[in-house]
Amino acid sequence: MLPTIEWQDGAVVMIDQRKLPAEEAYVRCRTPREVARAIRSMVIRGAPAIGVAAAMGLALGVRRSRAKGSAQLAAEFYKLCELMAATRPTAVNLFWAIEQMKERFAAAVRAGRSPAEIAETLVAAAQQIHDDDVASCKALGAHGAEVVPPAGRVLTHCNAGALATGGYGTALGVVRAAVERGKQVAVFADETRPFFQGARLTAWELLRDGIETTVITDSMAGPLLRDGRIDLVVVGADRVAANGDVANKIGTYTVAVLAREHDVPFYVAAPVSTIDLSTATGADIPIEERSEREVTHVGSKRTAPAGARVWNPAFDVTPGGLIAGIITEQGICRPPFGESLRDACERAGGSAER
């Protein structure tokens, strides 16, 4: 399985997604600030993977701490939580993972554990978050495979694969599970401007697995859908609101509107940790805005004239009314989402309210 992120000998090691597909390089983070920088700069990206990285970064910080006593350690730990929380505001898995680590930290302090024991508790907790994420992706992939036709043509947007998670993937987990069942799946991958996650990452992942993949520009999705060359759309998510509105990479809303116009089912694949029942609707989801340079340049080459104004939101919100189903490890949630999402969270053993 593609090693997106791992704990290795007291360091957090992650594949540098900025350099793919040209170079398979790895970044070794030895401090929590290096982990936070890796998240902000998109060395690692994708909501579940960001959550795993933050958890490992917190464990790394406590393990490296020279604090004398639990009070000093707690002060350091909660400052690190603030550092991680400030990296990327839209991906709710980030905040979910931080809360998980806070709970484990508080429990260890209440139990009277030493700083060294607390550190090892958090390392184990972070690794468990990683392993649970992979298991969730495989479970949701198995549910999602049911909606893929025997010879299915699937359109994706952005990268919701192993690179965006602890491993296996969400939207691409659905594809992988369908292929494992013997289905003949062909994927059309939107290149996903301006950061090109579809062209650089989705195509790279799928070709590694021997899955037929065609890269298209974002503006080519409409004609494909119109001409009946797509059977279903499957995308990932960075946050799912209580009413079923979904924040995902910018351009997802456009694909959803096109799919509805051409009667092609549009599915979202996301673990329960991406559901935020405390966010009522998509209008309440904070949308990250990123550097102008991602739009004005391709690599080091400027493609837009100096002085042009730039609007670069990283995400948009797709209304629940455009979504056929939200695929989770607890099954496929269907409208009315207010009920089905809450039921999925309850089956998973948590309210998903933050």
Side-chain angles (χ1 to χ4, degrees):
M1 186 177 65
L2 184 69
T4 308
I5 180 169
E6 295 179 323
W7 179 273
Q8 290 183 6
D9 301 324
V12 181
V13 180
M14 55 189 79
I15 192 167
D16 191 340
Q17 299 187 32
R18 303 167 304 179
K19 296 184 178 181
L20 291 172
E23 180 183 358
E24 188 173 331
Y26 289 81
V27 172
R28 180 175 291 269
C29 299
R30 295 178 174 83
T31 70
R33 291 194 177 278
E34 289 178 354
V35 173
R37 190 179 307 119
I39 295 172
R40 280 195 301 271
S41 65
M42 294 179 73
V43 169
I44 191 165
R45 28 100 9 233
I50 288 171
V52 172
M56 289 187 176
L58 292 174
L60 183 61
V62 174
R63 200 167 191 259
R64 290 174 54 87
S65 174
R66 298 293 182 264
K68 305 296 184 182
S70 60
Q72 184 182 355
L73 183 64
E76 291 181 7
F77 173 74
Y78 289 111
K79 283 184 179 179
L80 291 178
C81 289
E82 293 175 3
L83 172 71
M84 295 299 168
T87 54
R88 300 199 69 189
T90 304
V92 78
N93 304 67
L94 170 67
F95 304 100
W96 174 86
I98 292 170
E99 289 303 314
Q100 295 292 307
M101 297 297 281
K102 284 181 177 179
E103 290 176 10
R104 295 298 292 273
F105 180 87
V109 170
R110 287 195 301 270
R113 303 255 177 94
S114 68
E117 291 171 330
I118 292 172
E120 293 314 305
T121 295
L122 293 189
V123 170
Q127 290 177 317
Q128 190 63 55
I129 287 173
H130 172 275
D131 294 346
D132 288 348
D133 180 65
V134 175
S136 293
C137 287
K138 289 184 176 180
L140 76 81
H143 290 297
E146 299 291 339
V147 303
V148 180
R153 298 162 299 177
V154 179
L155 175 66
T156 68
H157 188 74
C158 196
N159 171 263
L163 290 167
T165 66
Y168 200 74
T170 54
L172 297 193
V174 171
V175 171
R176 288 187 168 98
V179 170
E180 288 165 7
R181 294 188 182 188
K183 295 185 176 183
Q184 301 299 310
V185 182
V187 175
F188 288 83
D190 278 353
E191 65 181 352
T192 320
R193 296 183 179 182
F195 211 67
F196 299 97
Q197 295 98 320
R200 294 189 304 105
L201 307 179
T202 293
W204 181 77
E205 272 197 49
L206 293 175
L207 291 174
R208 264 178 117 251
D209 286 356
I211 297 172
E212 180 183 331
T213 306
T214 301
V215 176
I216 61 172
T217 68
D218 296 358
S219 56
M220 294 174 184
L224 277 177
L225 289 159
R226 179 200 61 201
D227 295 345
R229 297 176 63 187
I230 300 295
D231 297 303
L232 75 161
V233 180
V234 186
V235 301
D238 285 77
R239 188 181 303 218
V240 179
N243 70 338
D245 293 349
V246 170
N248 193 51
K249 183 55 58 183
I250 188 73
T252 302
Y253 171 63
T254 305
V255 175
V257 171
L258 287 166
R260 171 58 60 88
E261 173 66 19
H262 298 294
D263 297 318
V264 174
F266 180 96
Y267 286 92
V268 172
V272 168
S273 59
T274 307
I275 300 170
D276 184 6
L277 297 182
S278 66
T279 296
T281 73
D284 303 311
I285 298 175
I287 300 298
E288 174 187 2
E289 292 201 26
R290 294 189 57 82
S291 166
E292 294 182 359
R293 187 180 176 87
E294 291 180 358
V295 175
T296 60
H297 290 69
V298 176
S300 60
K301 182 177 178 60
R302 174 176 280 277
T303 56
R309 299 179 67 180
V310 173
W311 181 54
N312 185 23
F315 307 96
D316 59 26
V317 174
T318 297
L322 296 176
I323 299 170
I326 298 174
I327 305 164
T328 77
E329 68 269 34
Q330 297 297 322
I332 301 178
C333 300
R334 297 190 183 275
F337 288 119
E339 298 175 11
S340 60
L341 291 173
R342 185 171 293 277
D343 288 346
C345 291
E346 290 176 352
R347 291 196 300 275
S351 67
E353 292 188 7
R354 299 167 180 84

